[in-house]
Amino acid sequence: IDLYPVTNALYRMYLEDTHTEALPDYWDHPRFGHPDQPVVGVSYEEAVRFASWLSDQLGVVKRLPTEAEWEKAARGGREVIFPWGDESPDGNPRDGARANFNGNGRFDATSPVGSYEDGKNAYGIFDMAGNVWEWTSTRQENGSLILKGGSWMDGPADLRISNRREIDPSRGYADVGFRLIREVTNE
């Protein structure tokens, strides 16, 4: 799984290379437009198209993780409540937080990826809790898709690894981004 959610800078490369004219929601909003912030406002299908483009660029298969794959990566090989352990997201004495969530005192929108060094997990993966909910490829019977991770709009209790949210995959949201995994072949 990628160390960070897909950023605006990387998504901009995709838009320019594919000559895509339809920009994601919030693309030009000053609170969400920094190159190092995670891209938001991207629907599920747009995320899948981006993954296909990136796969072609890199010569490997990149895709959205399933809910189970996302959880396994977030746990970092341990049985923990949050990616960094069992401690509350707001209980870090150094900077007051391990993740970007509502009331953390540092950001009032998405933060640049990797802003919380103490929030990375045992695998060195950043932002698996807070900042943006992340698309998974796990679909429910009603057609909705599962999101994981919590966001900058949620409270600290909502950042638990086991927490999930179901939403309409056809829309983009100000608190939803995505990260990709690289498919491994057995060759």
Side-chain angles (χ1 to χ4, degrees), residues 6-7 10-15 42 45-55 62 178 180:
V6 172
T7 63
L10 186 55
Y11 203 81
R12 178 178 296 282
M13 290 172 59
Y14 158 73
L15 292 174
V42 175
E45 288 302 323
E46 290 167 329
V48 168
R49 283 194 295 274
F50 173 87
S52 177
W53 170 83
L54 190 59
S55 295
K62 299 286 275 188
F178 64 101
L180 301 174

Side-chain angles (χ1 to χ4, degrees), residues 45-136:
E45 288 302 323
E46 290 167 329
V48 168
R49 283 194 295 274
F50 173 87
S52 177
W53 170 83
L54 190 59
S55 295
D56 290 343
Q57 300 302 306
L58 300 176
V60 298
V61 177
K62 299 286 275 188
R63 62 175 173 78
L64 292 169
T66 65
E67 180 180 16
E69 290 168 333
W70 188 97
E71 278 202 26
K72 183 175 182 178
R75 291 189 189 287
R78 306 179 309 159
E79 282 301 315
V80 291
I81 298 171
F82 302 101
W84 54 83
D86 294 335
E87 304 84 18
S88 173
D90 57 357
N92 186 342
R94 271 206 325 221
D95 67 4
R98 290 181 174 86
N100 185 7
F101 59 89
N102 188 5
N104 73 3
R106 286 184 63 190
F107 298 97
D108 64 351
T110 58
S111 56
V113 299
S115 291
Y116 293 91
E117 179 72 24
D118 291 336
K120 68 181 177 183
N121 72 4
Y123 292 157
I125 304 170
F126 287 83
D127 300 330
M128 293 296 281
N131 213 10
V132 291
W133 284 97
E134 297 179 10
W135 287 113
T136 73

